[in-house]
Amino acid sequence: MSGPTTGPEAYPEIRDAVRALCAQFPDSYHREVDRERAYPAAFVEALTQAGWLAALIPAEYGGAGLGLAEASVILEEINRAGGNAGACHGQMYNMGTLLRHGSAAQKARWLPAIARGELRLQSMGVTEPGTGTDTTQLRTTAVRRGDRYVVNGQKVWISRVQHSDLMILLARTTPLKAVAKKSEGLSIFMVDLREAVGRGLAVRPIANMVNHETNELFFEDLEIPAEHLIGQEGQGFRYILDGLNAERTLIAAECIGDGRWFVDRVTRYAKERVVFGRPIGQNQGVQFPIAEAHIEVEAADLMRWQACTKFDARAPCGTEANMAKYLAAKASWEAANACLQFHGGFGFAADYDVERKFRETRLYQVAPISTNLILSFVAEHVLGLPRSY
Ligand SMILES: Cc1cc2nc3c(=O)[nH]c(=O)nc-3n(C[C@H](O)[C@H](O)[C@H](O)COP(=O)(O)OP(=O)(O)OC[C@H]3O[C@@H](n4cnc5c(N)ncnc54)[C@H](O)[C@@H]3O)c2cc1C
């Protein structure tokens, strides 16, 4: 592969190819999908067929064998082109959990089928209604009975379940009172949704602000074959954290894509829209928030590359992944705000796509981790301030 490997034009061949694919799905396609509250099935299918969603799968299993850096460029370009990678980004970061912690038999069983586009691994079930961000307190249990685990409990906000075949589930296998550290005794499992739904797993969709397929899950004596346990029993929290670093870094890249989309759109509009006999972009009151947004998006991008580089080198990257997600989500949100503001009333018209992208990028201040929790991580784990919880 030629060209730079960090920065706004890194991996030019991937960018060009993803841009060409995205060009077949113009704004009107994404607008219509949003209006219908539908799943962008044709778009996700095209990405799958082109192999982009198997980017992280090693070549020996039929994937492209690329790293998180390249995966981040794919997702960034989707958002930069006006789409929303949230419909399919789950496969990218869930893959890492299977790749890094799955057994040889598990990888051989699932990865080739995912690479061929026959199976989707789009979902990860962590969040619970009763415990929220306080993950180690989660109440869903998986109890070993012979060659099975029996799962009981509830999850909330679990995305893409209706468009996935597989889901990674985090559940408690040893009661909290029986472990030395609260992060111990949690395990991760691969749930085959095709077998589970209707046989111990009920799915209830949640209508929400974004066109994002997300659900409540109810587990009642769901049986999972014991060989679906990923890695060692009790170590699931550690494995999930690895996956969360990938997720935060990839979502940072999506926010960078959003941020550039907003800056491009508002710059173009501010040059064209004439009020009081001159383009609105001639006023510094309009120029400065746009310039500020551009600076912040580009600065956030630098931290995204640090996170990618460390993740791909298997170096600890929690600090960079969290800081990249914080900076990028903040920058894209500020770019969205400037874009909406300077489109005036037209910013609210669905036909301009600004209000749709505005809603989509707003999510990343809350999910997959809220801004406050990132600040708390940096305060306590990077700066060594006293623990607050
Ligand atoms: C559209 C969408 C899709 C999602 N998809 C998934 C998914 O696929 N899988 C999954 O597992 N989860 C998913 N989530 C859940 C998401 O990760 C959580 O919503 C998020 O982590 C926040 O948790 P919570 O909603 O329980 O908020 P809470 O934990 O209840 O927190 C509420 C607010 O209080 C603040 N807060 C809480 N504690 C503190 C503290 N100690 N200090 C300062 N502030 C604090 C938080 O910052 C937050 O703003 C999704 C959420 C949404 C909205």
Side-chain angles (χ1 to χ4, degrees):
M1 202 151 306
S2 57
T5 53
T6 62
E9 290 309 322
Y11 301 102
E13 289 150 19
I14 295 178
R15 283 184 200 276
D16 287 349
V18 178
R19 280 174 195 169
L21 187 152
C22 290
Q24 297 167 35
F25 296 88
D27 289 346
S28 54
Y29 170 82
H30 297 292
R31 196 183 308 141
E32 184 63 12
V33 167
D34 183 66
R35 196 175 63 79
E36 298 281 335
R37 282 294 195 252
Y39 187 74
F43 181 55
V44 176
E45 184 57 26
L47 288 166
T48 306
Q49 289 311 320
W52 294 120
L53 299 183
L56 291 172
I57 299 181
E60 59 187 296
Y61 296 108
L66 301 174
L68 196 71
E70 291 95 326
S72 80
V73 169
I74 297 166
L75 300 182
E76 176 198 332
E77 287 298 332
I78 292 172
N79 281 36
R80 190 176 184 175
N84 180 9
C88 56
H89 60 193
Q91 184 141 304
M92 294 286 200
Y93 51 77
N94 289 331
M95 193 75 66
T97 310
L98 179 57
L99 275 172
R100 288 193 170 186
H101 307 292
S103 66
Q106 288 170 336
K107 290 191 232 181
R109 177 171 179 186
W110 288 306
L111 290 177
I114 297 171
R116 286 194 300 271
E118 293 162 10
L119 280 183
R120 284 191 182 159
L121 171 55
Q122 295 258 40
S123 297
M124 175 173 65
V126 174
T127 309
E128 298 197 359
T131 47
T133 312
D134 200 357
T135 309
T136 58
Q137 304 297 313
L138 62 76
R139 293 172 197 154
T140 297
T141 55
V143 177
R144 179 92 191 229
R145 275 199 212 129
D147 62 352
R148 326 232 109 207
Y149 282 89
V150 179
V151 181
N152 280 286
Q154 198 180 332
K155 298 276 173 188
V156 71
W157 300 114
I158 310 308
S159 301
R160 297 166 297 274
V161 171
Q162 298 163 54
H163 296 91
S164 189
D165 303 299
L166 302 170
M167 173 179 76
I168 288 173
L169 173 72
L170 183 68
R172 188 159 274 292
T173 39
T174 306
L176 199 52
K177 55 182 183 312
V179 291
K181 279 168 68 185
K182 59 187 182 177
S183 56
E184 291 170 358
L186 293 163
S187 303
I188 55 171
F189 299 89
M190 187 67 88
V191 177
D192 190 327
L193 292 163
R194 297 163 303 172
E195 290 169 7
V197 176
R199 295 189 201 95
L201 171 59
V203 179
R204 189 189 296 160
I206 306 175
N208 61 89
M209 174 175 152
V210 195
N211 179 29
H212 191 99
E213 189 248 279
T214 187
N215 309 276
E216 280 182 283
L217 304 185
F218 302 88
F219 299 89
E220 205 181 323
D221 293 331
L222 171 73
E223 295 193 357
I224 305 179
E227 70 259 23
H228 285 203
L229 171 75
I230 296 179
Q232 246 183 298
E233 189 183 290
Q235 296 300 309
F237 189 70
R238 194 164 55 79
Y239 305 151
I240 279 283
L241 284 186
D242 243 9
L244 295 181
N245 286 332
E247 181 184 41
R248 284 167 203 176
T249 305
L250 292 173
I251 287 179
E254 291 171 38
C255 289
I256 301 293
D258 280 342
R260 291 190 175 133
W261 185 93
F262 287 118
V263 170
D264 288 350
R265 285 291 164 116
V266 69
T267 302
R268 193 173 80 195
Y269 189 77
K271 287 178 189 164
E272 288 168 358
R273 174 72 172 163
V274 175
V275 181
F276 295 108
R278 57 185 186 164
I280 57 168
Q282 203 174 336
N283 302 300
Q284 289 189 325
V286 173
Q287 287 177 355
F288 288 3
I290 300 173
E292 199 173 8
H294 174 69
I295 291 167
E296 289 182 6
V297 169
E298 297 309 313
D301 195 31
L302 300 177
M303 189 61 77
R304 162 268 189 101
W305 288 110
Q306 292 224 25
C308 286
T309 306
K310 286 201 164 182
F311 187 94
D312 284 334
R314 292 195 167 227
C317 65
T319 301
E320 291 75 13
N322 275 290
M323 296 201 307
K325 156 73 169 57
Y326 171 88
L327 290 169
K330 189 161 173 276
S332 74
W333 167 239
E334 285 171 6
N337 225 2
C339 190
L340 187 86
Q341 188 69 19
F342 299 129
H343 273 77
F346 294 106
F348 291 81
D351 280 355
Y352 280 71
D353 300 295
V354 176
E355 61 83 32
R356 171 175 61 82
K357 294 282 284 179
F358 179 94
R359 285 183 276 116
E360 289 169 356
T361 217
R362 181 65 180 83
L363 173 65
Y364 298 126
Q365 298 270 338
V366 171
I369 181 165
S370 69
T371 303
N372 269 4
L373 268 289
I374 295 182
L375 292 173
S376 163
F377 171 86
V378 171
E380 293 176 10
H381 297 279
V382 181
L383 304 177
L385 290 164
R387 283 190 78 94
S388 73
Y389 55 86

